[in-house]
Amino acid sequence: MNIFRVKDYQALSKKAAEILLEEVKKNENAFLGLATGSTPEGTYQEMVQAYKDGKVSFASVKTVNLDEYEGLEGTHEQSYRYFMNKHLFSHVDINPEQTFVPSGVAQDIQKELEQYEQRIRSAGGVDIQLLGLGHNGHIGFNEPDKVFSTVTHRVELNQRTLEANQRFFASYDEVPKFAYTQGIGTIMTAKKILLIVSGKDKREILHKALFGEVTPEVPASILQFHPNVVVVADEQALPEIPSRV
Ligand code: F6R
């Protein structure tokens, strides 16, 4: 595990964008795994800027996102499809047909989820998967559980996640209670994983995820078993790196 501890959110965004863009510069057909939430917003801003400055092209890049809320159309302002268009896709030269986010409203959900999983598996996993970290240790929408989830599936979101997501909706009742997410098994097929974590409120869970017991009660702890993980965290989230790392 390679850990970069940076000063603040701005430095985190620059470093994370640099790591993602390295993959695209190395391979113009790169398959990127993307995430939503507040943490990657700055990273996407940096990527858009690099494109505008003529430093990178996304014309042949393919992307797949981690998750989507059940019941939200891609045109809904809180859907993850809308988020990705708003923060990244509509500002760069990527082919929209090569960007995949699970459909929140597919007629045949089982088929949609199987196809989604297959798309990732048949490529042998994404080249790099960007991840944020939930306050309860979730990655994607894989909530704390008794076992690690395997493939792309439907999940019931837990109380902590619903409360955290409420800030984006007019009321708690409007927060979707179910979502579709890549499984932990799917995420672990990524050739490289980039975990970005910012802020004091993530300090305790980040420490557990990186240095604690590997347990499905802290889903992100599974990353300790992945051979190629890069963590970029700011000083607020990671005040120190224990010496055994
Ligand atoms: C988003 C996702 C979630 C978030 C996590 C952290 O696609 O899968 O796991 O990464 O909830 O969210 P923020 O960055 O808003 O704290």
Side-chain angles (χ1 to χ4, degrees):
M1 189 175 285
N2 199 353
I3 303 179
F4 292 95
R5 183 168 162 271
V6 297
K7 188 160 179 24
D8 52 21
Y9 180 71
Q10 203 187 348
L12 173 149
S13 303
K14 274 193 191 310
K15 185 71 195 168
E18 185 187 304
I19 294 169
L20 287 161
L21 294 177
E22 235 168 62
E23 292 294 320
V24 180
K25 287 176 187 164
K26 208 164 67 188
N27 170 17
E28 62 173 12
N29 299 311
F31 190 13
L32 306 181
L34 300 175
T36 58
S38 303
T39 318
E41 283 185 21
T43 305
Y44 295 146
Q45 249 174 43
E46 293 288 338
M47 289 167 74
V48 168
Q49 196 53 53
Y51 167 72
K52 288 186 174 158
D53 292 344
K55 293 181 184 156
V56 67
S57 166
F58 295 90
S60 304
V61 166
K62 195 160 99 177
T63 68
V64 72
N65 263 74
L66 284 168
D67 41 17
E68 180 59 282
Y69 286 120
E70 181 174 87
L72 298 195
E73 298 272 0
T75 49
H76 189 289
E77 284 191 15
Q78 296 310 332
S79 75
Y80 287 170
R81 159 58 73 184
Y82 188 94
F83 175 102
M84 289 310 304
N85 291 345
K86 177 174 165 197
H87 291 281
L88 182 65
F89 301 152
S90 34
H91 307 289
V92 298
D93 61 344
I94 200 161
N95 175 357
E97 312 245 303
Q98 294 298 315
T99 67
F100 298 96
V101 180
S103 165
V105 293
Q107 290 283 327
D108 185 341
I109 285 305
Q110 204 43 44
K111 193 165 156 221
E112 164 76 11
L113 299 179
E114 277 164 22
Q115 280 176 352
Y116 204 78
E117 180 72 20
Q118 195 46 39
R119 182 170 291 125
I120 300 167
R121 299 256 171 184
S122 60
V126 296
D127 292 315
I128 184 165
Q129 176 64 55
L130 177 65
L131 295 177
L133 179 66
H135 290 99
N136 58 10
H138 75 210
I139 49 177
F141 270 138
N142 295 284
E143 303 284 35
D145 206 341
K146 296 277 170 267
V147 290
F148 286 110
S149 66
T150 54
V151 296
T152 305
H153 61 291
R154 178 177 190 255
V155 275
E156 181 166 13
L157 301 177
N158 80 15
Q159 192 66 24
R160 187 84 204 259
T161 302
L162 295 175
E163 281 163 14
N165 293 351
Q166 188 183 341
R167 68 192 194 277
F168 300 114
F169 292 85
S171 72
Y172 181 82
D173 288 345
E174 284 181 34
V175 185
K177 308 293 180 283
F178 291 87
Y180 307 125
T181 182
Q182 287 186 29
I184 292 287
T186 327
I187 292 170
M188 290 292 277
T189 65
K191 297 179 184 97
K192 183 170 182 170
I193 289 182
L194 170 58
L195 177 70
I196 55 173
V197 189
S198 170
K200 208 170 165 181
D201 53 321
K202 298 274 178 78
R203 187 179 289 179
E204 199 180 323
I205 192 66
L206 179 61
H207 192 276
K208 276 191 193 163
L210 300 186
F211 314 118
E213 183 195 350
V214 174
T215 162
E217 299 291 349
V218 181
S221 64
I222 193 75
L223 300 177
Q224 294 180 40
F225 288 160
H226 192 285
N228 193 4
V229 176
V230 180
V231 180
V232 183
D234 62 17
E235 289 173 4
Q236 293 272 315
L238 191 63
E240 58 175 4
I241 301 174
S243 54
R244 75 169 174 83
V245 179

